[in-house]
């Protein structure tokens, strides 16, 4: 057990003592400890996660260690990320309580969060997508989550003074931002010891990414936007592994990469990972299930997500147009015609940003350090490479040509064109 | 004398006692106080400025009071602005010592800066432009100042970690930013008690600005960019009243609006105020001097400023392309062809940003709260209105059509088109 500045890395045993000494957590468990079960389930890349269940209650304890778990102590990473995760969980939870689990307790020296256990039948969305499960409310829930968290932390709702104060606070989460900058926007476009791909099948594809000047020109703009533009409090890592789903419930977890950044980074992460799920389906099809219907469902979920997001986001804007938001003062944007004009411009830019970031997120999952289970679970290398190759081709097209798309429907049509032999 | 939290508003008498009690300042004055002369010269809008001269040295003392001087105690304004001014003077001074006066002393509780006295023959550039004085080195010096201060505080030179830390610090200057947001990006486009213009001549012009939907659409984007985009440490108020000039020297003062913001805000402020100076010339012409030659000089200074800026900025980029800047890693942007492509895109966007911000700065000086002496010194109302009307027309065109201009030369040609009857 290592101790520094009040930090102790807990294990399944010492965790129980910690809980017993913490009244808030005791009370969640009904102050009964006889039948307490503790299970470490951190299958993510970064942290230790314990599920604690008792007769009278349950909770999750998440502790950040001062390095990246999946790589080890050789890649140090500030445990202060837990502070920003707790902060964002609370802020986003306040704005969208239906889709963010409650934080019961935060201990900054221990980098430890005690929060609601998102219990079964919830599973990680990515696993559901691999299994081919349809979630009829997913697009509705995720568009709600994104519309509310992004709108209410932007200058469409906030005063610029509040905004600058919040921006300053989250600037402290710089180490996690640096990780994103490196693994999303830089490493895939150069030689890096961390990059990997399905070799030898994708050797030429990876090389092509590194040689594609127009692609690198576009990704530079996205990287600058990520580093410079404080548009809203974003989750920062909104892929399908950060979302827990049941048939009637969607819960967003793990916002340790939270920062003020471009909204499109979150929207793109979610859409991009749905695209990845789509392209992986051919690797999961078998004689019993050709996945054709499921692929159609994913495409619909993609369309619905954006269209519902757009609808909900602009509805919030309309509702609060005379409010405290300082980007578009009602005294200036004082006619419905002008407001419409402004909203159309805003949503168009946001759409193109989202497509760009979504494409960048896809590329990095195929030729960068961290891959996705959607593809990794396809054990036949050549089959996996085939799926990855198509996803990569689509992502490169999307990143370079994103400004040519006028609607999400056109994007989906472009996917169909690429997939004619498989979908039709 | 008011005292709060260690703050005392000084006057010409108590200032001398303050200096005597401050060794750094004493030493600048050669520790001689017999012949000391103190003169209050704050002709700016915000602060008190004292010139202190003695037999063996001189200096300037600038003190911020907790309100806006030109309006009075009815418009409170944090005196912490002096902290950000001192910070920016030191940072920009380190990066461009030839064009930023040295800071000798800063007293945060007193909101007091002791700095180099930029002595005569230096005068405020705006006054020189009104008088029709040519400054052959102005474009060279200002392009040098802007290229160096903006490049070295951007992600072209900085690591993202350094950048986020600096951004967070300057987020504290939020009250001054709010002032900019209000008087530059909002008030001119709505009814406001603070707005004024040459009435009745410009009543229809002011009304037209408030009714121009496309103009308001464009200004919304600029406002968001100002509030959200931390591209570099900008001066924040780089008009011709913040620049002191002599024939062979150019000194930039008064960066109390300093913040991380879009580079184009500084470049546009300077260019926009040169445009204003140009349009004011017809009001200053008389039988002895029709100002034709001088107008040509201003147009040349505008062209030279941008062209030299572009040259120097990209030269710094080339020089430091393998350095610590994290926006464009040399391992990714690894061929001269790709670097050129990236630079062209970057400079094109920066050019259009600069034109947009420049135009917004012009508009606010004609129909907003704070006007410029260039026009105010034209005592004949109808003559002033005529000049202002033309400047306003040009600014509206520039703001709306800025993306159509490929070079500064095209912008100057557009001015000539508007001024055919006067210039040719």
């Amino acid at each position: 057990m290592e101790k520094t500045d009040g930090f102790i890395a807990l294990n399944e045993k010492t965790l129980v003592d910690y809980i017993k000494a913490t009244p808030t957590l005791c009370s969640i468990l009904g102050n009964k400890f006889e039948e307490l079960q503790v299970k470490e389930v951190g299958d993510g890349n970064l942290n230790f996660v314990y599920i604690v269940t008792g007769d009278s209650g349950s909770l999750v304890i998440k502790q950040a260690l001062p390095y990246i778990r999946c790589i080890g102590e050789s890649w140090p990473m500030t445990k202060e990320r837990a502070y920003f995760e707790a902060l964002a969980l609370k802020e986003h939870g306040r704005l969208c309580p239906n889709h963010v689990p409650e934080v019961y307790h935060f201990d900054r020296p221990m980098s430890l969060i005690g929060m609601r256990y998102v219990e079964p039948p919830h599973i990680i969305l990515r696993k559901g997508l691999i299994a081919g499960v349809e979630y009829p409310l997913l697009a509705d829930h995720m568009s709600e989550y994104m519309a509310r968290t992004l709108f209410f932390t932007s200058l469409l709702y906030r005063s610029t003074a509040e905004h600058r104060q919040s921006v300053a606070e989250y600037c402290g989460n710089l180490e996690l931002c640096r990780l994103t900058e490196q693994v999303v926007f830089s490493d895939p476009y150069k030689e890096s010891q961390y990059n990997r791909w399905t070799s030898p099948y994708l050797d030429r594809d990876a090389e092509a990414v590194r040689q594609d000047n127009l692609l690198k020109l576009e990704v530079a703009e996205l990287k600058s936007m990520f580093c410079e533009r404080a548009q809203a409090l974003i989750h920062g890592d909104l892929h399908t592994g950060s979302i827990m789903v049941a048939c009637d419930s969607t819960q967003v977890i793990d916002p340790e990469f939270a920062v003020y950044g471009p909204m499109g980074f979150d929207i793109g992460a979610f859409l991009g990972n749905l695209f990845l799920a789509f392209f992986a389906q051919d690797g999961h099809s078998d004689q019993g299930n050709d996945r054709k219907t499921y692929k159609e469902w994913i495409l619909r979920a993609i369309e619905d997500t954006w269209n519902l997001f757009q609808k909900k986001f602009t509805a919030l804007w309309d509702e609060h147009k005379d409010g405290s938001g300082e980007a578009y003062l009602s005294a200036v944007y004082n006619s419905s015609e002008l407001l419409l004009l402004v909203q159309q411009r805003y949503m168009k830019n946001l759409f193109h940003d989202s497509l760009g970031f979504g494409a960048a997120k896809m590329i990095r999952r195929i030729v960068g350090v961290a891959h996705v289970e959607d593809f990794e679970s396809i054990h036949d290398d050549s089959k996996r490479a085939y799926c990855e190759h198509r996803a990569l081709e689509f992502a490169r097209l999307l990143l370079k040509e994103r400004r040519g798309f006028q609607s999400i429907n056109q994007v989906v049509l472009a996917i169909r064109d690429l997939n004619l032999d498989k979908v039709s």
Side-chain angles (χ1 to χ4, degrees), chain A residues 151 309-319 343-344 347:
Chain A
F151 177 84
F309 169 81
Q310 174 154 284
K311 195 172 151 188
K312 292 173 188 194
F313 191 89
T314 50
L316 288 171
W317 191 339
D318 287 338
E319 187 184 337
Q343 288 180 341
Q344 282 169 342
M347 297 315 288

Side-chain angles (χ1 to χ4, degrees), chain A residues 129-148:
Chain A
L129 294 167
I130 293 167
V133 182
E134 294 188 13
Y135 294 96
L137 298 176
L138 180 67
D140 187 38
H141 288 172
M142 285 305 295
S143 60
E144 182 85 7
Y145 167 82
M146 293 191 295
R148 295 188 64 85

Side-chain angles (χ1 to χ4, degrees), chain A residues 84 87-88 91-92 94-95 149-155 158-174 177 181 224-236 257-263 265-266:
Chain A
F84 294 102
L87 208 61
E91 175 76 0
H92 283 168
R94 199 177 57 73
L95 298 172
T149 57
L150 298 176
F151 177 84
F152 287 114
T153 59
S154 77
L155 287 169
R158 287 267 189 80
S159 75
T160 57
E162 283 175 284
H163 194 73
R164 288 196 195 268
Q165 279 160 349
S166 301
V167 169
E169 168 120 83
Y170 281 91
C171 277
N173 203 14
L174 54 89
C177 291
E181 292 151 20
S224 289
M225 204 192 296
F226 177 77
C227 295
E228 293 172 351
R229 185 165 184 207
Q231 193 179 20
L233 176 59
I234 60 173
H235 177 286
F257 287 84
V259 73
Y260 275 77
M263 297 178 179
F265 191 78
D266 270 5

Side-chain angles (χ1 to χ4, degrees), chain A residues 294-308:
Chain A
Y294 194 60
K295 285 168 76 172
E296 287 301 320
W297 177 80
I298 296 179
L299 293 183
R300 259 197 328 277
I302 289 168
E303 282 200 63
D304 290 350
T305 298
W306 173 260
N307 289 331
L308 286 170

Side-chain angles (χ1 to χ4, degrees), chain A residues 41-45 49 51 60 62 85 101 115-135 138 142 235 237-247 249-256 270 273-274 277 281 284 294 297 365 371-374 377:
Chain A
V41 296
D43 62 349
N45 296 322
V49 179
I51 294 172
V60 156
K62 184 169 176 181
E85 175 167 359
M115 58 188 288
R116 182 190 146 198
Y117 172 37
V118 182
E119 71 288 353
H122 284 94
I123 59 168
I124 293 290
L125 172 58
R126 195 185 298 286
K127 292 182 187 292
L129 294 167
I130 293 167
V133 182
E134 294 188 13
Y135 294 96
L138 180 67
M142 285 305 295
H235 177 286
D237 197 26
L238 195 56
H239 57 77
T240 50
S242 297
I243 300 166
M244 300 202 65
V245 282
C247 180
S249 166
T250 308
Q251 302 293 321
V252 178
I253 58 173
D254 293 353
E256 61 211 306
F270 181 63
N273 277 269
L274 288 183
Q281 293 303 316
H284 304 311
Y294 194 60
W297 177 80
R365 294 295 191 179
H371 286 226
V372 288
E373 199 181 332
D374 309 64
S377 59

Side-chain angles (χ1 to χ4, degrees), chain A residues 389-408:
Chain A
H389 167 77
R390 284 169 157 265
L392 191 60
E393 285 297 292
F394 172 69
R396 287 172 63 186
L397 170 91
L398 193 59
L399 188 46
K400 289 187 281 189
E401 306 294 336
R402 65 190 187 279
R403 295 182 192 86
F405 292 104
Q406 303 301 312
S407 71
I408 190 74

Side-chain angles (χ1 to χ4, degrees), chain A residues 25-77:
Chain A
L25 298 178
C26 291
S27 114
I28 297 288
L29 297 172
N31 292 297
K32 290 185 182 169
F33 309 105
E34 296 77 24
E35 304 298 319
L36 224 52
Q37 294 196 335
V38 179
K39 201 174 141 199
E40 208 282 315
V41 296
D43 62 349
N45 296 322
L46 298 182
N47 305 293
F48 285 82
V49 179
Y50 302 91
I51 294 172
V52 182
T53 48
D55 283 351
S56 311
S58 63
L59 51 80
V60 156
I61 298 287
K62 184 169 176 181
Q63 186 174 36
L65 268 62
Y67 52 83
I68 296 180
R69 184 183 180 178
C70 68
I71 293 179
E73 304 195 23
S74 66
W75 193 329
M77 181 55 57

